[in-house]
Amino acid sequence: MNRHEVISAPAHGAIHLHNEDVASAFAEMAELLAIGGENPFRVRAYERAANVVRGLSRPLADIGDRREFDRLPGIGPDLAGKIAELLRTGRLRALEQLRRRAPAGLRELLRVPGLGPVRVRALHAGLGIRGVADLQRALRSGRLNRLRGFGPVLRKRLAESLEGEATTPRRWPLVAATPYAESLRDYLRSVPGVARAEIAGSYRRGRDTVADLDVVIATQRRVDLAAALRRCADVHLLSAAGPTRCTALLRNGLQVDLRLVPQGSYGAALLYFTGSREHNLSLRRRAQARQLKLNEYGLYRGQRRIAGASEQELYHALGLEWIAPELREDRGEIAAAEQHRLPRLVELGDLRGDLHAHTNASDGSESLEAMVAAARARGLEYLAITDHSRHLGIVHGLDADRLSRQVDAIDELNAKLSGFTVLKGVEVDILEDGRLALPDAVLCRLDVVVAAIHDHFQLGESQQTNRVLRALDHRCVSILAHPSARLLGERAPIHMDFGRVLAAVKERSCFLELNAQPGRLDLDDVHCKAACDHGILVSIASDAHSSGELADLIHGIRQARRGWLTAANVLNARPLDELRRLLAQCRR
DNA sequence: GCCGTTTTCGGCCCGACTGTTTTCAGTCG
């Protein structure tokens, strides 16, 4: 169901709004105010509030107190009242008023490249255009020609972007963009005069998806960037080309923004282009408060540059420790850097084992022995074999008998191994009613029981939540796998009260998985931080279906770093004996 | 609408590029 319907639904019965609902209401307010010609700073305030709420690791519904809302950064008395109104009534009167004034289609016009609030307002006021379809008609009929400010070049650009819109995906999974990013970066490094080239943006921050690529280039001398890009085989066209800035479209449809600076500004440009936007804004406000100016060329006191060559010196000059790119979301990292309490983020080398992997006994492609050998070769000390239970139609899931035989086989294998341990496990389906797809008798023989949802994704929130809570209540369950069941770009997260699930996991002393498959990355960053704040240990798991997929752990590490996780927060960073003790604790 | 080692009022990040203009507004990142 569309979240917006929740917000405008009449208030009756129990209202339970997620932070995302509040964030999207504020984001919509910002867009409608902008289209209405409202003071841009007021618009910014709503945008900022939306971002702050979206990044909170605690549900607003749990905070519950208006004065507490007021203490959040960027939330003052007015917005605190609006949050309270939303939570209490499920509605926001100010938003409903704005919606009555502006047609819904105007917001989609804002997404069209080249259109901002001013031009959208002009289209609406001048020609009565109420959405993308109206704009297309006006372009074809030539009606747009008489609107001031819409010259031939802009009209052509609009027509092109309206046609291309359906074919270009809005965001790319990070791994889908990676080969293009690396190949472009390597090409740029080979261009004469280029000293350094790095992919920045959300790619460097390790987000699960990227909308485009941002490339920072430091040069030793003048470089004709546009000419170099035109020679690159991957580049389809340049949509903007200045001496220091270019925007290119790759043949696969991925957009690339490139920024070229002298070497002495490399750190400042990298900082600026890595973002996030909100992180940069906070840094610039901080600079301003110290009578300094921060831009992509450096940090300035008056005309004099006091830092710029490296990120380290820039952060230090602002009185901060260097902040890892994964944390740069303006979610408290700047205060932490000031107070020397940044987390020491988990690294791949911290992992001692992997607690979710498949063999050809179910839908994996390799034998038990091959998977074990591969895990060992990667320097791991233990590997849990967690094949699917029988319930799933798509795979050769294990029934109780076959699972028992696998358990015996693992016992035999362990007897032959030294310095490595295979843990006996299963990935058991959570049935529609929350029961598990295998009997207790066999589950209790296992070291680790990973429970997962693989069907009935569309259940309503209370039913889905109860389903998961019931599964967690099972005395053998150790880990809740890929908790939201999302598939990036394919399947939305299930509707579930994550706060209640967190509380149950904590109370049961069991664990949440951060599934490292690049198409899942589930937990996401915000939920990962919430788990961390609750003191819940997270299993960073490859969910490998072949030996090569054990390498996917790195994607999980990146996501975990975005969720502020240190090695101490990670279940499979613990040595085997401690892991066994922790797994035993959640047995009842 | 928020916020305060300038301030409870008057600021609010900063620069590049484009197109439509006769000097700059709008968009974008």
Side-chain angles (χ1 to χ4, degrees), chain A residues 401-420:
Chain A
D401 281 348
R402 288 183 64 215
L403 181 54
S404 291
R405 285 203 292 280
Q406 188 184 57
V407 164
D408 296 336
I410 290 174
D411 282 337
E412 283 173 33
L413 181 57
N414 271 332
K416 287 184 274 183
L417 292 172
S418 70
F420 191 91

Side-chain angles (χ1 to χ4, degrees), chain A residues 20 54 171-175 205-210 331 356 427 451-458 464 467-468 480-496 498 513-529 543 555-560 562-563:
Chain A
E20 179 55 35
R54 192 164 278 138
R171 295 194 72 89
W172 298 62
L174 184 65
V175 287
R205 299 201 311 280
R207 274 196 62 170
D208 42 29
T209 57
V210 299
R331 294 177 185 161
H356 188 162
E427 180 177 6
I453 281 180
H454 291 111
D455 58 13
H456 296 99
F457 304 111
Q458 295 301 327
Q464 195 72 275
R467 176 190 188 189
V468 172
L480 179 63
H482 41 73
S484 87
R486 73 170 182 176
L487 294 177
L488 289 173
E490 290 178 41
R491 187 167 68 217
I494 54 173
H495 301 299
M496 182 172 84
F498 192 70
E513 178 182 275
L514 195 177
N515 190 291
Q517 286 197 340
R520 285 196 186 268
L521 292 172
D522 180 12
L523 300 173
D524 70 19
D525 50 1
V526 172
H527 285 144
C528 194
K529 180 145 192 288
D543 195 359
H555 308 306
I557 289 287
R558 205 159 36 211
Q559 180 92 318
R562 289 182 55 79

Side-chain angles (χ1 to χ4, degrees), chain A residues 57-58 498 502 505-506 511-513 523-538 563 565 569:
Chain A
S57 53
R58 258 181 99 190
F498 192 70
L502 273 182
V505 168
K506 176 74 180 165
F511 311 99
L512 287 174
E513 178 182 275
L523 300 173
D524 70 19
D525 50 1
V526 172
H527 285 144
C528 194
K529 180 145 192 288
C532 168
D533 292 345
H534 274 70
I536 291 167
L537 297 187
V538 173
L565 261 53
N569 303 122

Side-chain angles (χ1 to χ4, degrees), chain A residues 101-114:
Chain A
R101 252 181 278 157
L106 295 187
R107 290 184 66 210
E108 65 185 29
L109 283 176
L110 279 182
R111 316 263 177 275
V112 177

Side-chain angles (χ1 to χ4, degrees), chain A residues 174-184 203 234:
Chain A
L174 184 65
V175 287
T178 297
Y180 301 95
E182 290 179 348
S183 132
L184 180 67
Y203 181 93
D234 284 341

Side-chain angles (χ1 to χ4, degrees), chain A residues 94-264:
Chain A
L95 177 56
E96 288 170 12
Q97 264 173 25
L98 285 173
R99 280 180 183 159
R100 279 195 288 275
R101 252 181 278 157
L106 295 187
R107 290 184 66 210
E108 65 185 29
L109 283 176
L110 279 182
R111 316 263 177 275
V112 177
L115 291 185
V118 176
R119 285 175 182 155
V120 167
R121 193 163 66 254
L123 288 170
H124 185 222
L127 298 176
I129 286 171
R130 302 165 64 86
V132 168
D134 285 351
L135 177 58
Q136 250 160 345
R137 274 190 293 274
L139 280 164
R140 288 201 199 101
S141 70
R143 268 212 309 152
L144 213 60
N145 304 14
R146 57 191 171 83
L147 194 60
R148 190 181 161 78
F150 289 77
V153 181
L154 180 58
R155 293 199 301 270
K156 181 161 176 283
R157 183 177 168 206
L158 290 177
E160 282 168 0
S161 42
L162 286 185
E163 275 169 29
E165 203 175 32
T167 58
T168 326
R170 290 170 59 104
R171 295 194 72 89
W172 298 62
L174 184 65
V175 287
T178 297
Y180 301 95
E182 290 179 348
S183 132
L184 180 67
R185 181 197 61 200
D186 293 346
Y187 168 75
L188 289 166
R189 284 177 179 170
S190 76
V191 171
V194 169
R196 313 184 71 163
E198 202 58 70
I199 315 288
S202 45
Y203 181 93
R204 183 164 178 246
R205 299 201 311 280
R207 274 196 62 170
D208 42 29
T209 57
V210 299
D212 59 13
L213 295 176
D214 300 296
V215 185
V216 177
I217 300 159
T219 56
Q220 297 152 324
R221 54 183 163 82
R222 254 186 64 85
V223 170
D224 187 343
L225 180 58
L229 286 170
R230 288 196 183 92
R231 285 194 301 270
C232 177
D234 284 341
V235 172
H236 175 52
L237 60 83
L238 297 184
S239 59
T244 68
R245 176 160 217 158
C246 280
T247 299
L249 197 64
L250 301 188
R251 292 190 191 285
N252 63 1
L254 189 58
Q255 182 177 306
V256 188
D257 295 310
L258 303 101
R259 193 62 205 263
L260 191 145
V261 293
Q263 268 185 294

Side-chain angles (χ1 to χ4, degrees), chain A residues 297-338:
Chain A
Y297 298 107
L299 183 66
Y300 294 83
R301 177 172 284 124
Q303 298 295 311
R304 198 168 68 86
R305 181 162 70 192
I306 61 172
S310 77
E311 287 188 340
Q312 279 79 1
E313 66 177 33
L314 285 160
Y315 279 109
H316 290 159
L318 289 167
L320 301 170
E321 289 179 6
W322 179 80
I323 298 173
E326 294 93 333
L327 295 181
R328 300 183 194 170
E329 298 290 343
D330 199 25
R331 294 177 185 161
E333 73 279 7
I334 293 174
E338 181 174 45

